[in-house]
């Protein structure tokens, strides 16, 4: 008797759909920024700045680190020219930290009034001077950690004093000019000064931090103005692709 052959159940079709490999995250926004910070381009920008401003330095007049500290505090929301005008008589009347620390507040306010925000600046100047006497023997400290403990002192002031007075590259000075130009030159896409500084510290060689800040500030004051940049006079015009370039 013939046995009935068992019908084979149809084999399950293998899924044609292959397992998709995990996609690499698409770079967007700040993470996608690469073109502007290529080493060759950054080196070219630095070379052009050296060519245009070989002797760029801080334009706040000072005779020592303490005077530079006070002048930098006074320069907030004020031009260096105005601060220098005030400084001509200010340091004759207040020659050291002790003179500022124990000054008559209302009198000091009038002495620095032309720099603006004179009440807050008086508190900062007197507070910083007292801190120098009480904690640092009247000397401006040489580390960012210590200088940031002084009233009225943030990283910009710290970088100015440490870099210009002591030649210590603790970071990059980020003022309004550096903010504007570093964005126009495509070296950062941030607006926050702290983030901009971190971006610049990653792409600018440390030995250039101090000079780069001065050069960019000089360029911002002389050529790359906020409203009408003089692109025709700029030696970096070929390297710049800012949206607000002038013809």
């Amino acid at each position: 008797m013939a046995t009935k052959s068992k019908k084979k159940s149809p084999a399950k079709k293998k899924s044609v759909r292959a397992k998709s490999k995990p996609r690499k995250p698409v770079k967007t926004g700040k993470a996608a920024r690469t073109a502007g910070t290529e080493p060759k381009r950054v080196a070219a920008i630095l070379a052009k700045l050296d060519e245009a401003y070989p002797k760029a330095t801080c334009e706040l007049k000072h005779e020592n680190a303490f005077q530079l500290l006070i002048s930098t505090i006074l320069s907030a929301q004020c031009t260096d020219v105005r601060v220098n005008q005030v400084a001509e008589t200010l340091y004759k009347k207040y020659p050291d930290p002790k003179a500022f620390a124990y000054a008559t507040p209302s009198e000091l306010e009038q002495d620095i009034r032309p720099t603006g925000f004179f009440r807050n600046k008086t508190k900062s100047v007197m507070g910083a001077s007292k801190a120098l006497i009480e904690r640092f023997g009247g000397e401006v400290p040489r580390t960012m950690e210590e200088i940031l403990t002084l009233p009225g002192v943030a990283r910009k002031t710290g970088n100015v004093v440490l870099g210009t007075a002591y030649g210590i590259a603790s970071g990059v000075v980020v003022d309004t000019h550096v903010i504007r130009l570093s964005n126009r030159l495509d070296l950062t896409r941030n607006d926050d000064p702290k983030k901009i500084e971190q971006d610049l510290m990653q792409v600018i060689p440390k030995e250039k931090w101090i000079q780069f800040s001065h050069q960019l500030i000089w360029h911002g004051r002389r050529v790359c103005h906020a409203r009408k940049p003089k692109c025709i006079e700029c030696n970096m015009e070929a390297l710049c692709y800012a949206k607000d370039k002038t013809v």
Side-chain angles (χ1 to χ4, degrees):
M1 179 175 178
T3 55
K4 293 182 179 179
S5 59
K6 293 182 179 179
K7 292 183 179 180
K8 292 183 180 180
S9 55
K12 292 183 178 179
K13 292 183 178 179
K14 291 183 180 180
S15 176
V16 180
R17 188 178 180 182
K19 290 184 179 179
S20 58
K21 294 181 180 180
R23 294 183 180 179
K24 292 182 179 180
V26 177
K27 293 184 178 182
T28 58
K30 298 181 180 66
R33 193 174 198 83
T34 55
T37 56
E38 290 175 350
K40 288 185 179 180
R41 181 174 183 272
V42 173
I45 289 173
L46 294 176
K48 290 295 185 181
L49 288 172
D50 285 341
E51 178 186 291
Y53 312 105
K55 297 182 180 180
T57 186
C58 179
E59 293 188 292
L60 288 171
K61 295 179 181 178
H62 61 282
E63 295 179 358
N64 51 55
F66 175 68
Q67 288 185 1
L68 180 58
L69 172 68
I70 300 304
S71 287
T72 307
I73 292 174
L74 297 180
S75 71
Q77 304 297 316
C78 182
T79 65
D80 286 0
V81 173
R82 180 61 58 84
V83 173
N84 288 337
Q85 291 172 346
V86 171
E88 286 182 8
T89 56
L90 188 68
Y91 298 129
K92 293 177 182 178
K93 185 174 182 179
Y94 307 96
D96 52 38
K98 186 177 180 179
F100 276 107
Y102 301 105
T104 302
S106 59
E107 188 173 346
L108 181 55
E109 286 179 0
Q110 295 308 309
D111 292 331
I112 66 172
R113 189 184 185 100
T115 67
F117 303 96
F118 55 91
R119 291 189 179 88
N120 286 336
K121 289 181 180 179
T122 294
K123 292 177 182 178
S124 295
V125 166
M126 293 184 69
S129 299
K130 287 179 181 177
L132 289 178
I133 295 170
E134 295 170 358
R135 300 203 299 271
F136 302 105
E139 297 292 325
V140 178
R142 292 172 177 261
T143 69
M144 182 62 77
E145 291 74 20
E146 290 175 319
I147 206 168
L148 288 178
T149 66
L150 302 176
V153 175
R155 282 197 63 89
K156 173 195 166 184
T157 300
N159 281 323
V160 170
V161 176
L162 293 174
T164 302
Y166 295 140
I168 298 173
S170 56
V172 177
V173 175
V174 178
D175 73 345
T176 54
H177 298 291
V178 175
I179 292 173
R180 182 176 72 255
L181 270 65
S182 59
N183 270 278
R184 277 180 173 169
L185 288 171
D186 210 32
L187 298 175
T188 182
R189 281 184 180 173
N190 281 302
D191 297 317
D192 178 75
K194 290 182 180 179
K195 292 181 180 179
I196 290 175
E197 183 183 5
Q198 291 303 311
D199 289 343
L200 294 176
M201 288 168 68
Q202 289 179 17
V203 299
I204 305 298
K206 187 173 183 179
E207 65 271 16
K208 297 290 292 182
W209 287 355
I210 298 172
Q211 187 72 353
F212 171 77
S213 300
H214 294 319
Q215 291 173 330
L216 218 58
I217 291 169
W218 276 40
H219 191 62
R221 288 173 176 165
R222 292 158 174 76
V223 178
C224 196
H225 301 153
R227 293 185 180 180
K228 293 182 179 180
K230 300 176 181 178
C231 297
I232 196 171
E233 298 179 18
C234 179
N235 71 341
M236 291 185 288
E237 192 275 333
L239 293 168
C240 178
Y241 35 82
K243 293 180 180 179
D244 56 347
K245 285 176 67 172
T246 57
V247 179

